[in-house]
Amino acid sequence: MQFDDDADLDTSEVSDQRGSRVPGGRATIGGGLVGLIALVLGLLLGVGPDQLGLSGGGPQPVTSPSSAAQVQQTCRTGHDANTREDCRLVAVTNSTQDYWRQEFRRRGARYVPASTVFFTGQVNTACGPATSAVGPFYCPGDRKVYLDLGFFQELRTKFGASGGPFAQAYVVAHEYGHHIQNLTGTLGKSQDGRTGANSNSVKVELQADCYAGVWAHNATRTPDESTGRPLITSLTDQDIKDGLDAAAAVGDDRIQEKFQGRVTPESWTHGSAQQRQQWFYQGYRTGDMAQCDTFR
C-alpha cells in the first residue's frame, strides 16, 4: 500500500486526542472479563458504546498540550503516510472520504463528512464514554470514527490477524461504511436488539464490510481533490489478502471459538469469518455499492 509522496494530507479530517485524560483517571469500562466482553461485543460495531449498555455519565477529557494534535504537526504529505502509522491512517481517512464524496455526487446526493478521532485509553463521545476495550467504533450521534491505535497490535496478538497497513485501512474503511449507512438510513436497522446469523445487526456489519471493499476497489483511481491524482498509488494482492485476513479474524465464529471455546450463532452480531470475507470481496470485486445489499 503506497501513497503519493507529494500529496498534501488533510489533517482537518482527524482529531488527535492521544494524551488526553479524564479528570480523576477513572475508566468507564474496567479491564479483565468486563473489558474482554466489551471488546468482543463492541469490536467493529457500527454503534456507540451507549447502545452496548457500557456507557455512563462522565467528565470530559482534558488534553495535554505537549501531546495533543500530533498528526497536525507531523502528517503533512503522502511521504509521511508512507513512513508513519498515524499519518497512514490520516491518508486512509482522506482517501475514503474522497471516494464517498465523489460517489455521492455522482449519484446526485450530498456527502456529509465524518471525522476520525485518535485517542488513548478512553474517550467521551456523543454516544457516551468508552475505553479502548470497546474496539474501533462509529458514533452516529456525532458522526465520528473512534480509534485507539493500540487496537491494531491487538488485532494481531489477540485475534491472530496477519496485520499489515491494509489491515488497518480495512478497519477504517469498515467504520466509514457505517457512516455511509448512517447517511443512507440503513444503520438504524442494527438497533432492533436482535442477534443471530440472520439478524439485521449482522447484515449491517456485512454491508459495512462490502462498502470497505468498494472503496478498496476504487482507491487507486479516486483523484485527490487538491491534486487531481489518486492519493493511494498502489494496492497489491498481498494488501487485499491482509484485508481479507483481518475480516476473518474478527468474524463472530472465530472470536467465540477463541474466547469462549464454542460457537453460538444465535448470539452473532457481525457475521462469520467466511461471511465477512465474502462481503468484503464482493465490494472489492464489483466496486459498486449497489452490489452490497445484504438485506435481500
Side-chain angles (χ1 to χ4, degrees):
M1 185 178 189
Q2 290 290 315
F3 300 90
D4 178 358
D5 278 335
D6 297 324
D8 292 328
L9 300 185
D10 182 1
T11 57
S12 70
E13 294 186 341
V14 175
S15 173
D16 193 350
Q17 297 182 22
R18 291 174 295 175
S20 298
R21 60 179 178 82
V22 172
R26 184 176 179 181
T28 306
I29 305 169
L33 181 59
V34 174
L36 178 59
I37 292 172
L39 178 62
V40 172
L41 290 178
L43 191 67
L44 302 183
L45 197 62
V47 295
D50 63 325
Q51 291 154 308
L52 298 174
L54 297 171
S55 65
Q60 292 295 319
V62 174
T63 302
S64 167
S66 63
S67 58
Q70 295 179 54
V71 297
Q72 282 73 18
Q73 297 166 8
T74 59
C75 300
R76 300 184 180 276
T77 68
H79 175 75
D80 299 324
N82 283 323
T83 56
R84 288 179 58 101
E85 179 185 62
D86 51 359
C87 300
R88 179 166 62 241
L89 295 173
V90 172
V92 170
T93 296
N94 290 170
S95 173
T96 303
Q97 298 212 95
D98 281 344
Y99 170 70
W100 288 115
R101 187 179 295 110
Q102 293 168 40
E103 177 63 13
F104 270 51
R105 187 183 302 140
R106 187 181 71 82
R107 293 172 175 269
R110 185 175 73 91
Y111 177 75
V112 180
S115 297
T116 294
V117 178
F118 295 163
F119 71 98
T120 304
Q122 53 197 356
V123 67
N124 275 355
T125 81
C127 297
T131 72
S132 301
V134 177
F137 65 93
Y138 169 74
C139 173
D142 54 22
R143 291 176 174 166
K144 293 179 181 179
V145 171
Y146 290 87
L147 296 172
D148 185 326
L149 273 59
F151 167 78
F152 297 117
Q153 181 176 354
E154 293 187 342
L155 189 60
R156 298 189 302 272
T157 60
K158 287 188 178 180
F159 296 95
S162 59
F166 191 78
Q168 300 175 357
Y170 155 75
V171 171
V172 175
H174 173 99
E175 297 306 335
Y176 272 91
H178 288 312
H179 179 56
I180 300 307
Q181 292 170 323
N182 192 30
L183 297 180
T184 58
T186 59
L187 183 59
K189 293 182 179 181
S190 68
Q191 299 168 27
D192 60 8
R194 298 180 182 179
T195 62
N198 198 41
S199 65
N200 282 341
S201 176
V202 166
K203 292 174 182 178
V204 163
E205 294 300 326
L206 296 178
Q207 186 178 65
D209 282 334
C210 188
Y211 286 163
V214 169
W215 162 75
H217 174 96
N218 292 284
T220 59
R221 66 192 76 181
T222 298
D224 178 83
E225 295 193 348
S226 64
T227 67
R229 303 187 304 271
L231 177 56
I232 297 178
T233 58
S234 69
L235 287 177
T236 66
D237 290 343
Q238 183 60 49
D239 288 325
I240 301 307
K241 182 178 179 181
D242 288 343
L244 288 166
D245 186 69
V250 291
D252 281 323
D253 51 343
R254 293 272 188 95
I255 292 174
Q256 288 179 341
E257 181 67 33
K258 185 175 184 66
F259 292 107
Q260 67 184 29
R262 66 187 187 283
V263 176
T264 54
E266 65 274 11
S267 64
W268 285 4
T269 57
H270 289 71
S272 69
Q274 186 273 333
Q275 288 175 309
R276 301 202 69 167
Q277 287 187 319
Q278 172 191 337
W279 281 102
F280 172 80
Y281 193 72
Q282 167 84 350
Y284 178 69
R285 180 180 61 82
T286 65
D288 181 4
M289 69 181 296
Q291 302 301 313
C292 294
D293 185 2
T294 57
F295 295 91
R296 289 179 299 186

